[in-house]
Amino acid sequence: MKVSPSLLAANFADLTPDLEMINASEADYLHMDVMDGVFVPNISFGFPVIKSVSKICNKPLDVHLMVVDPEKWISAVSDAGGYIMNVHLEACRHLHSTVHLIHDAGMKAGVTLCPSTPVSMLVDIIEDVDLVLLMSVNPGFGGQPFIKNTLKKVRELRALIDSTDSHALIEIDGGINETTGSELAAAGADILVAGSYVFGALNPIERISILKAL
Ligand code: DX5
Ligand code: ZN
């Protein structure tokens, strides 16, 4: 299993120790949640923080934009050091165009679905994207309980990917711990995002290893 710890649960007053922990861990990526207070009812951090983090963190940055009109920010994410740019399907007017502009900027393109958005919405974009991020909580906050219906969506998405020429990875975000993580592994997930499960632990490196082993 690939693991993408979510910085949202880190210590914003002093990120360096948390980033050094990530560098020393088995994490595959660092997940960074950008929120605009419009698409979601919360505001987190923006591009200057991503840029500063990219100078210390040696893992590829998995940037999750919870903002309206994310196509406006493609060059900002790229300039800040983004590796994957995840945009919400619900926030894009022209998703096909946005995905290709993300590729033109040299990044991997991810499309994200809220819990109530069906996997069938991806049928005509699945071969163009590098990753699908399924939200297993309503976006905006860490520490929420996992929505069980996500397991059905992962199985549907796995079937859609396997029935096409898509090479998309399946990433899941929200309420992940060793229990929900092992259910997601069995359902066909490739990447687990975990915020409070990792950063809320006394031994976060061990928590990352537990998820890696699923
Ligand atoms: C929520 C964010 C998540 C969040 C997950 O909108 O997209 O990445 O950090 O937090 P946990 O793992 O605590 O549910
Ligand atoms: Zn996220």
Side-chain angles (χ1 to χ4, degrees), residues 18-172:
D18 286 335
L19 295 172
E20 285 169 350
M21 178 279 291
I22 293 291
N23 287 348
S25 78
E26 293 179 74
D28 297 276
Y29 309 95
L30 178 65
H31 188 84
M32 300 197 70
D33 292 299
V34 178
M35 304 179 187
D36 67 353
V38 178
F39 182 70
V40 288
N42 199 4
I43 295 176
S44 54
F45 51 77
F47 309 113
V49 173
I50 298 175
K51 191 162 198 154
S52 298
V53 165
S54 76
K55 290 181 183 149
I56 297 178
C57 185
N58 62 21
K59 309 285 180 175
L61 301 183
D62 164 31
V63 183
H64 175 195
L65 289 178
M66 285 161 273
V67 306
V68 297
D69 301 334
E71 66 279 1
K72 285 184 190 166
W73 310 110
I74 293 170
S75 61
V77 175
S78 169
D79 292 348
Y83 175 73
I84 302 168
M85 177 165 169
N86 287 296
V87 296
H88 270 263
L89 178 143
E90 305 87 355
C92 290
R93 262 176 266 256
H94 301 289
L95 181 60
H96 182 274
S97 160
T98 301
V99 163
H100 287 276
L101 289 169
I102 292 170
H103 284 151
D104 291 348
M107 294 183 287
K108 302 285 183 196
V111 60
T112 309
L113 303 188
C114 286
S116 65
T117 303
V119 166
S120 58
M121 294 290 283
L122 297 169
V123 165
D124 291 301
I125 197 71
I126 196 67
E127 293 187 3
D128 298 82
V129 298
D130 303 293
L131 184 150
V132 176
L133 175 59
L134 295 181
M135 293 307 301
S136 41
V137 298
N138 286 291
F141 301 92
Q144 303 180 78
F146 181 81
I147 297 172
K148 274 259 178 191
N149 184 57
T150 312
L151 294 168
K152 182 201 80 171
K153 292 177 74 177
V154 174
R155 289 190 286 268
E156 286 174 1
L157 180 55
R158 184 85 269 155
L160 174 63
I161 291 168
D162 292 348
S163 67
T164 64
D165 284 337
S166 171
H167 58 274
L169 296 173
I170 301 178
E171 180 174 28
I172 316 297

